[in-house]
Amino acid sequence: MTSIRTSVCIVGGGPAGLTLGLLLAKRGAGVLVLEGHEDFEREFRGEVLQPSTAHLLDELGLLEYITAQTHALLEAGKIRVEGEEVGEFSFKRIAPQYPYAIWMPQPIFLAALLRKAEPLPTFRCWMGAKVTGLIEEDGRVVGVRGTRHGREPFEVRADVVVGADGRYSAIARLGGFTPAYEHHDFDVIWFTIEQPPGWSSTFYVSFGDVRGLMLPKYPHHIQAGILLPTGEWRRWRQDGVAAVAERVRRFDPIFAGFAAGLKDFTPFFPLEGVIRFVRDWARDGLLLIGDAAHTMSPAGAIGVNVAIATAAVAAQELYPRLGRGPIAHDELRAVQRLREGDVRTLHRLQLGVQRVLLGQGPLAKWLFPKVLPLFLSSPLLPLVQRRIFFGAPLPPLDPAFSFREPAPAVSRP
């Protein structure tokens, strides 16, 4: 069995886990990231970095590095009703300092974070490392145990274990964490098609008899998601492939060819639209961040961005507390105190967006296309969008976490 000691053991090599590991290793803290998958080449949904993340990356001196990777800039989102564009919202109106969202395939983003971190002498990442248990002493978490590549047992001891392993967090389950609230009002049924000629590669919200989202997907595809009340997808499947194909056609005319070729349900990937807030993100020696602590629904495409913001706050709070053994619950809870208000507000906004997206009944269907153009031109819209896409200001980050090269000293005569 492999047994090692490190300052910080991060379970989960997603955006939150790798961001936290990168920032702590930048300061010289010993970091081990345990990622359960063998590589990053799998199906992802969160591939849009909103203006809030562009701002944070800029503060950290990483924006130029990240935008040197394969990406596209999305400068506006568009609204479609029954297949016709009826309006748009411009990121310039929402966040003039960063008037775009960054569309980047998540495998490329994660690989870029890992490449930035690997040269740092105190950073390690084990791929294919699955955690199966917590190591506890006197009620405190002092490490984790698991296996690498399905056959090599390991134990890791650390000042703090950080659960950054997503919405289905094994660490949250093993640690006995419980939600303060949880909502599961809808599911998103994802599928992918090639972009038709002349398609504008940006973010779309589509309203009509069937409602959903359309996002760009690398290299020249559309990732489409139909929004359905919880349990409705099961009823759709019971109606058969032909009935589902007809509903996909009603989602948007661009899907007519996809619908005509449907033979079974294998092209569809359901994702639960869960909103969850863990009551207490910490125990002695153990902290949850990202979706493990505050699961965001797909509404607004903000989950990755909220997770990265929490990771940055966690780095700043953890660093000065390392080196003295397991970090106490009350000290770890500082991360939640700093992030809780923003996350709860975004959850409330997501619930409001969901109610709009799931609007049902003949009156709503008749009235919505008439009211929507008025709402799109309202001065309130940019304020709401700025709050969703730009988030609340983070606490000032110590410049020591930044990768920006210091300005050269000015010589004086």
Side-chain angles (χ1 to χ4, degrees):
M1 175 184 291
T2 302
S3 298
I4 70 166
R5 179 79 172 75
T6 188
S7 293
V8 184
C9 177
I10 301 169
V11 182
L18 285 177
T19 298
L20 176 61
L22 172 63
L23 296 181
L24 288 174
K26 167 69 169 60
R27 301 294 303 274
V31 173
L32 174 61
V33 177
L34 304 175
E35 167 52 43
H37 293 84
E38 297 287 350
D39 56 46
F40 298 130
E41 295 303 321
R42 56 192 186 274
E43 191 67 28
F44 290 96
R45 305 291 182 260
E47 299 193 328
V48 178
L49 304 177
Q50 301 289 0
S52 60
T53 300
H55 176 226
L56 176 57
L57 291 172
D58 198 13
E59 272 198 69
L60 294 172
L62 290 170
L63 183 59
E64 185 175 346
Y65 168 72
I66 291 298
T67 54
Q69 320 302 320
T70 299
H71 76 287
L73 296 182
L74 311 181
E75 297 179 349
K78 300 191 176 185
I79 311 295
R80 287 165 75 87
V81 175
E82 306 291 355
E84 298 291 330
E85 289 185 16
V86 299
E88 70 174 35
F89 56 87
S90 166
F91 282 108
K92 187 173 183 179
R93 294 180 67 196
I94 300 167
Q97 315 96 310
Y98 303 92
Y100 52 80
I102 302 167
W103 161 57
M104 178 176 290
Q106 197 166 122
I108 291 176
F109 180 61
L110 296 180
L113 291 177
L114 185 57
R115 279 197 308 275
K116 193 72 174 177
E118 283 178 326
L120 300 173
T122 61
F123 178 90
R124 283 176 288 183
C125 178
W126 290 357
M127 302 298 288
K130 297 191 182 228
V131 171
T132 57
L134 301 176
I135 302 172
E136 300 187 49
E137 294 176 355
D138 301 323
R140 302 177 302 174
V141 174
V142 296
V144 297
R145 62 175 62 90
T147 57
R148 294 182 72 185
H149 315 303
R151 61 185 182 276
E152 303 168 14
F154 67 79
E155 281 191 357
V156 180
R157 290 178 174 258
D159 292 343
V160 63
V161 173
V162 179
D165 50 340
R167 62 177 51 214
Y168 305 113
S169 170
I171 296 300
R173 175 177 51 79
L174 292 168
F177 291 90
T178 57
Y181 57 78
E182 182 171 329
H183 303 274
H184 181 196
D185 302 325
F186 75 102
D187 297 318
V188 184
I189 314 304
W190 294 108
F191 61 94
T192 301
I193 69 165
E194 289 190 10
Q195 290 183 5
W199 181 260
S200 177
S201 184
T202 191
F203 178 93
Y204 291 83
V205 181
S206 183
F207 296 96
D209 186 34
V210 178
R211 300 182 175 198
L213 311 171
M214 289 178 275
L215 309 174
K217 186 173 180 64
Y218 182 82
H220 302 293
H221 292 77
I222 297 171
Q223 179 178 295
I226 296 174
L227 277 72
L228 294 177
T230 304
E232 186 69 15
W233 176 238
R234 184 180 70 252
R235 289 186 282 273
W236 275 31
R237 287 174 63 102
Q238 290 170 350
D239 291 341
V241 173
V244 171
E246 177 54 34
R247 288 163 180 155
V248 170
R249 286 189 197 93
R250 296 207 306 270
F251 179 21
D252 199 283
I254 65 167
F255 301 124
F258 170 82
L262 270 182
K263 295 185 172 48
D264 53 37
F265 299 113
T266 55
F268 298 101
F269 299 89
L271 175 68
E272 295 176 339
V274 172
I275 288 175
R276 182 188 301 113
F277 187 93
V278 171
R279 187 178 309 279
D280 189 339
W281 303 357
R283 287 179 50 189
D284 288 341
L286 178 59
L287 172 69
L288 300 182
I289 65 171
D291 267 3
H294 46 69
T295 309
M296 311 302 290
S297 90
I302 59 174
V304 171
N305 305 272
V306 180
I308 290 173
T310 300
V313 170
Q316 185 148 289
E317 292 301 314
L318 291 179
Y319 178 74
R321 295 176 167 90
L322 298 174
R324 301 192 298 271
I327 302 176
H329 163 267
D330 287 349
E331 292 185 293
L332 293 176
R333 208 169 187 279
V335 177
Q336 182 172 349
R337 286 194 292 270
L338 289 167
R339 292 291 295 138
E340 182 166 353
D342 188 35
V343 172
R344 285 180 179 269
T345 297
L346 290 170
H347 275 169
R348 287 192 293 271
L349 289 170
Q350 283 197 317
L351 288 170
V353 170
Q354 289 172 194
R355 284 191 288 270
V356 172
L357 291 174
L358 292 171
Q360 296 172 323
L363 180 60
K365 291 176 183 177
W366 173 82
L367 188 61
F368 193 79
K370 303 179 185 308
V371 172
L372 184 59
L374 298 176
F375 179 64
L376 290 174
S377 61
S378 165
L380 293 175
L381 181 61
L383 298 177
V384 174
Q385 291 170 331
R386 181 177 173 84
R387 188 63 183 84
I388 294 174
F389 294 132
F390 208 80
L394 294 180
L397 294 175
D398 188 332
F401 286 102
S402 175
F403 287 80
R404 184 175 286 109
E405 294 294 330
V410 178
S411 60
R412 297 182 181 277

